[in-house]
Amino acid sequence: MQLADGFEVMLITGMSGAGRSHAANALEDMGWYVIDNLPPKLLIPLVDMMTSSGSKVHKLAAVIDVRSRGYFDDLFAVLAHIDELGVKTRILFLDASDSVLIKRYESVRRPHPLQRGGRLIDGILEERELLSHLKDCADIIIDTSTLSIHQLSTKLYEGLLGKGSSTVAVHIFSFGFKYGMPMDADFVVDMRFLPNPFWVPALRDLTGKDKAVSDYVLSNPAAVAFLDSYEKALLTAIDGFAKEDKHYVTIAVGCTGGQHRSVATSIELARRLRLHGLQVTVSARELQRR
């Protein structure tokens, strides 16, 4: 089998009610391809398909647990086979105390998958025994007894991507106020306090992507002062967002028509934020209107 560079498999497992679904959602938000309740034997053809030539999937996360019933016994043989193929595999194990698991099951009013009409605690204890060896082999163990779903997500981001603002993806886009305010922005910046290049004949037909316009906009002392202050404010906010489990931030930068000031400012703001190690993408909503 021809393996794709950097392909890896994350096995999400652990106690029922400990947060496997929330962990799966967090990994999906990080760009992993996630499959829930997968019979272990199906991992091999799935890995084969995703490591084939042309595949764009490089991170596969599979939720595998006792819900797969008899298929669960195949897990260690499957993992050994995948390891022989040279695929990087990690095991994420979610755990919680028996008392917490009981409270969570009582709150959702669902039976434990191993309860089989008996007592809830019996199902929990049987599952804990079945998973004991898997827990011993786990690469990452998280006890969620005292964690909220947001705290669990933050722990996963920190464990897999690093801490703080580096876990936040930022998108900056320019727009024109005369075409309407954006509805999907966390921050909206109004650059209409700067002189408009539209009224400079040599710059009118250019955009903020052109150096002449960018120099005109960004050489203004007011633009420099604003960007210096706004950069600091954004870094404070983004760091706070990371701690509160918000990992995507959208910044809208506007001017009158969305062609000059907002475009140049968006590009410069992105450059500044990237210098702090942030992931930043940039787009321009109105340039297609030219």
Side-chain angles (χ1 to χ4, degrees):
M1 179 171 63
Q2 185 67 38
L3 296 180
D5 291 338
F7 185 83
E8 74 178 292
V9 173
M10 177 74 75
L11 180 65
I12 304 171
T13 188
M15 296 296 293
S16 300
R20 292 186 312 248
S21 296
H22 293 303
N25 291 338
L27 262 68
E28 190 169 52
D29 290 343
M30 287 183 237
W32 291 68
Y33 186 90
V34 178
I35 298 179
D36 191 15
N37 200 14
L38 183 73
K41 278 189 175 180
L42 293 182
L43 261 178
I44 295 174
L46 193 59
V47 168
D48 190 18
M49 178 183 72
M50 291 186 171
T51 54
S52 62
S53 178
S55 175
K56 295 183 179 179
V57 177
H58 297 282
K59 293 180 181 293
L60 169 66
V63 181
I64 298 179
D65 50 67
V66 295
R67 288 177 298 168
S68 57
R69 309 291 176 172
Y71 298 116
F72 190 73
D73 296 334
D74 304 322
L75 179 58
F76 286 102
V78 169
L79 290 176
H81 182 68
I82 293 176
D83 186 59
E84 290 174 0
L85 296 173
V87 175
K88 180 181 179 181
T89 305
R90 287 187 285 177
I91 298 175
L92 167 64
F93 192 98
L94 282 302
D95 201 357
S97 68
D98 294 345
S99 60
V100 168
L101 293 176
I102 290 173
K103 289 179 181 179
R104 290 176 181 173
Y105 266 100
E106 287 177 344
S107 68
V108 297
R109 300 181 181 179
R110 294 194 65 195
H112 188 278
L114 297 181
Q115 190 171 345
R116 293 188 285 268
R119 295 178 61 199
L120 174 58
I121 187 62
D122 292 334
I124 292 173
L125 293 177
E126 181 181 351
E127 181 180 36
R128 198 174 290 285
E129 176 64 25
L130 286 171
L131 295 177
S132 60
H133 182 45
L134 188 58
K135 183 178 180 180
D136 291 339
C137 300
D139 300 278
I140 305 171
I141 300 175
I142 299 178
D143 189 319
T144 67
S145 300
T146 60
L147 300 180
S148 69
I149 58 174
H150 299 298
Q151 290 169 329
L152 170 57
S153 178
T154 297
K155 272 188 171 292
L156 288 169
Y157 269 90
E158 289 179 351
L160 298 175
L161 297 180
K163 293 186 176 182
S165 58
S166 63
T167 66
V168 180
V170 180
H171 181 69
I172 304 174
F173 71 93
S174 59
F175 74 97
F177 278 97
K178 72 178 183 180
Y179 300 113
M181 286 277 290
M183 296 184 294
D184 58 343
D186 298 294
F187 299 96
V188 177
V189 181
D190 188 347
M191 302 308 298
R192 291 177 294 184
F193 67 90
L194 295 175
N196 192 348
F198 179 84
W199 302 113
V200 180
L203 303 179
R204 178 173 298 179
D205 294 331
L206 303 177
T207 75
K209 290 185 174 182
D210 294 301
K211 187 176 185 303
V213 173
S214 179
D215 289 346
Y216 179 87
V217 173
L218 300 177
S219 63
N220 190 305
V224 175
F226 174 82
L227 284 167
D228 287 345
S229 299
Y230 197 57
E231 176 186 348
K232 293 178 182 178
L234 282 176
L235 291 173
T236 300
I238 291 170
D239 187 61
F241 282 145
K243 295 174 182 175
E244 292 299 318
D245 192 29
K246 179 177 172 61
H247 300 280
Y248 296 89
V249 174
T250 302
I251 304 168
V253 181
C255 61
T256 303
Q259 302 293 325
H260 301 99
R261 293 165 290 182
S262 60
V263 176
T265 304
S266 295
I267 295 170
E268 172 61 12
L269 185 59
R271 185 193 69 81
R272 287 170 174 243
L273 294 181
R274 288 184 185 121
L275 291 176
H276 296 279
L278 294 174
Q279 310 168 56
V280 187
T281 55
V282 184
S283 64
R285 193 183 78 176
E286 319 298 4
L287 287 190
Q288 74 277 9
R289 296 179 183 274
R290 295 183 65 82

